[in-house]
Amino acid sequence: MKKLFNLLSVFSAVMLAASFMVSCGPQEEPPGPATIPVSSVSISQSSVSLEPGGTVSLTATVNPSDATDKTVIWSTSNQTVATVNNGTVTAVAEGTATITATAGGKSASCSVTVNKKVVAVTSIELDNAEVDIVSGSTITLKATVKPTDATDQKVTWESDNPEIATVDGSGKVNAIKEGVAPKPGERQSCAR
């Protein structure tokens, strides 16, 4: 009888331990919402041209619209040409750079070209406003473009009265015959 009692006690202890192990074992958590991956990224512009100091705002669109993580990381291929901060591109110096928007392993790019800043011509000054030369002789006029850092320094020469005087591409005036060029009463840069 004592043996049977001891056997029952051992059996009860084993069952209690097994029961404790089952009830305290790892429990499976209920499944969470499904992760929706990014399928593509697009940028509002594929290419832009700027001058140094200029800016443009780019917008990145992540698809699908209900993607789990739509965080966009912006980067530039050349910080000395253009920088990017949250989609705002700032031109630094002449050259080209690629701006990239990346989300969920997908990316899109925008090509940025930074051109030399255009400085407009404000005026052209001649070294002589009026010259007297005899037929058959020549004189070379000198033109100064203002401001001196104007982007386009090219000067085009033209005579208003080529029967009296002609001028070549370097400002060399050739007196043909007696007279005045440009004709009196016309707008003039240099009377000859």
Side-chain angles (χ1 to χ4, degrees):
M1 187 77 162
K2 193 171 186 184
K3 243 181 187 184
L4 185 60
F5 178 74
N6 284 340
L7 194 57
L8 282 173
S9 294
V10 170
F11 180 74
S12 295
V14 169
M15 291 303 288
L16 183 62
S19 171
F20 180 74
M21 286 175 59
V22 169
S23 64
C24 294
Q27 304 237 340
E28 288 187 27
E29 293 186 22
T35 300
I36 301 172
V38 173
S39 60
S40 67
V41 176
S42 60
I43 296 182
S44 53
Q45 296 184 63
S46 59
S47 64
V48 293
S49 292
L50 297 168
E51 291 181 357
T55 63
V56 65
S57 291
L58 300 176
T59 303
T61 303
V62 178
N63 292 308
S65 59
D66 60 347
T68 304
D69 186 1
K70 295 172 65 173
T71 304
V72 176
I73 305 297
W74 293 90
S75 62
T76 177
S77 65
N78 192 341
Q79 292 225 354
T80 61
V81 172
T83 60
V84 62
N85 181 16
N86 229 13
T88 299
V89 178
T90 302
V92 178
E94 283 182 80
T96 58
T98 301
I99 303 299
T100 304
T102 304
K106 305 293 181 181
S107 62
S109 298
C110 173
S111 175
V112 176
T113 302
V114 180
N115 300 307
K116 184 176 181 180
K117 188 169 186 173
V118 175
V119 178
V121 173
T122 57
S123 66
I124 298 176
E125 295 177 3
L126 293 176
D127 59 342
N128 288 300
E130 185 174 329
V131 293
D132 292 317
I133 56 175
V134 296
S135 299
S137 63
T138 63
I139 188 171
T140 300
L141 298 174
K142 181 182 175 188
T144 302
V145 177
K146 300 283 184 161
T148 56
D149 64 342
T151 302
D152 187 359
Q153 293 280 329
K154 184 178 177 183
V155 176
T156 302
W157 295 89
E158 181 181 353
S159 171
D160 243 8
N161 194 346
E163 292 179 3
I164 302 297
T166 60
V167 63
D168 68 11
S170 62
K172 183 178 179 182
V173 178
N174 183 25
I176 307 296
K177 66 179 184 179
E178 188 178 349
V180 177
K183 296 172 184 172
E186 294 182 349
R187 189 176 70 82
Q188 55 185 334
S189 297
C190 177
R192 297 169 184 89

